[in-house]
Amino acid sequence: MTRSQDFPQQGPQDEDTAEPSQWERFGVDTTAPHSARVYDYWLGGKTNFPPDRAMGQAIEEAVPSVKEMAKANRAFQGRAVRYLAQEHGIRQFLDLGTGIPTSPNTHEIAESVSPGTRVVYVDNDPIVLAHARALMVSSPASRTTYIHADLRKPDELFADPTLTATLDLTQPVGLLMIAVLMLIADEDDPWGRVAALRDALPSGSCLALTTPTADFAPEAVGKVAEAARAGGMTLVPRGYDDVLRFFDGWDLVEPGLSPVLSWRPDGEPPADPKAAYYWGGVAVKR
């Protein structure tokens, strides 16, 4: 497997954006937008290319507040991880579709609650691979690793020796699927794939996920989905009932499936819970 030091070591701290020529020799397609890099652009990162920025800007034209929504989605992830570690004693996490590292990452949040946490990050972008291995360094008491894999192939994922060497699948796992299910079209049966992931986890495990929705602003989100399709990206916003299906058979914790801004907010409740067009929730396996 390619070593992380063989990749260009460019991260959010660099002044200039990533140069396509640095990455093309590693098989990275810099001519088409990629969801992780578009998200990186919205969060103010530097590992994105002109097609990613063009896609990000096109979506921003339809939804001018999309950068703030991306930050709200990221903030939900932080609250969810902290909640799972504090309230449910989760000490190992499987973070699917992790994206380009943006501190604080899952392992940093979990370690702040309980040193000794184990985290497996999963994505299928070579750029994420490079950054994850270079930047996701855990404390000596903990263990953090990265798998280059596809969440649409759960059997292969759970058979990966890196995963089985890091996570004890007889003990509860926190499964994170933050803004990733939108990348799987309905015809690829995302519900069946999530069910397979859930079935592989023991009792006491938890699922935290978010996904964009058109429920709050149908016209604007419709334009976003159209812009993504025009750029060759799959982006499927889903309604409340379809998102609820991802938790089928598990117990949703309060406040249930909610707009991400109103899920256990830090401080005062948001003035407009639906200002970020994402559903989010956390559930526990009986």
Side-chain angles (χ1 to χ4, degrees):
M1 183 173 287
T2 306
R3 296 172 301 156
S4 61
Q5 59 264 39
D6 293 332
F7 287 93
Q9 295 303 310
Q10 185 172 36
Q13 73 278 8
D14 294 328
E15 294 182 359
D16 298 323
T17 52
E19 289 295 331
S21 59
Q22 292 181 302
W23 295 97
E24 288 169 352
R25 61 194 177 98
F26 296 106
V28 176
D29 182 1
T30 64
T31 65
H34 187 283
S35 59
R37 302 194 301 261
V38 173
Y39 199 70
D40 175 73
Y41 164 73
W42 286 335
L43 292 176
K46 302 297 183 182
T47 310
N48 48 77
F49 309 117
D52 307 309
R53 297 190 285 277
M55 174 63 71
Q57 291 160 7
I59 292 175
E60 196 171 358
E61 288 181 9
V63 181
S65 58
V66 68
K67 289 182 179 178
E68 292 306 311
M69 294 185 193
K71 293 175 183 177
N73 185 65
R74 185 78 183 186
F76 168 92
Q77 177 178 348
R79 297 195 304 275
V81 170
R82 191 165 61 246
Y83 168 80
L84 294 180
Q86 290 177 337
E87 303 299 327
H88 291 270
I90 298 295
R91 297 294 177 262
Q92 46 184 8
F93 290 86
L94 179 57
D95 189 340
L96 302 183
T98 181
I100 295 167
T102 303
S103 188
N105 295 292
T106 296
H107 70 280
E108 295 168 323
I109 299 165
E111 285 174 0
S112 71
V113 175
S114 178
T117 298
R118 296 187 169 205
V119 179
V120 173
Y121 292 98
V122 179
D123 211 297
N124 61 357
D125 182 4
I127 288 183
V128 176
L129 169 66
H131 283 277
R133 289 183 170 171
L135 301 179
M136 289 182 175
V137 180
S138 58
S139 69
S142 302
R143 184 170 181 183
T144 300
T145 191
Y146 175 90
I147 297 174
H148 189 74
D150 191 332
L151 66 86
R152 291 171 294 187
K153 300 176 180 178
D155 290 342
E156 292 182 14
L157 174 63
F158 282 106
D160 190 295
T162 300
L163 185 148
T164 55
T166 306
L167 303 182
D168 179 357
L169 296 179
T170 68
Q171 298 298 315
V173 174
L175 175 62
L176 306 179
M177 305 187 76
I178 306 299
V180 65
L181 293 170
M182 64 187 183
L183 304 176
I184 304 178
D186 287 356
E187 53 265 33
D188 289 332
D189 188 21
W191 299 279
R193 297 178 192 278
V194 172
L197 293 165
R198 291 189 284 110
D199 289 347
L201 300 177
S203 176
S205 293
C206 301
L207 167 64
L209 70 77
T210 69
T211 194
T213 182
D215 289 351
F216 310 151
E219 184 176 352
V221 175
K223 291 179 180 178
V224 170
E226 183 179 344
R229 284 194 298 271
M233 279 178 52
T234 298
L235 195 160
V236 184
R238 292 190 167 94
Y240 180 90
D241 289 341
D242 282 340
V243 179
L244 199 60
R245 289 175 59 193
F246 289 121
F247 297 99
D248 190 34
W250 289 29
D251 297 328
L252 278 161
V253 303
E254 291 295 331
L257 183 60
S258 310
V260 291
L261 285 171
S262 62
W263 193 89
R264 298 179 177 264
D266 295 325
E268 293 296 320
D272 181 6
K274 296 181 179 179
Y277 308 154
Y278 288 88
W279 287 116
V282 172
V284 183
K285 187 173 186 177
R286 302 188 188 104

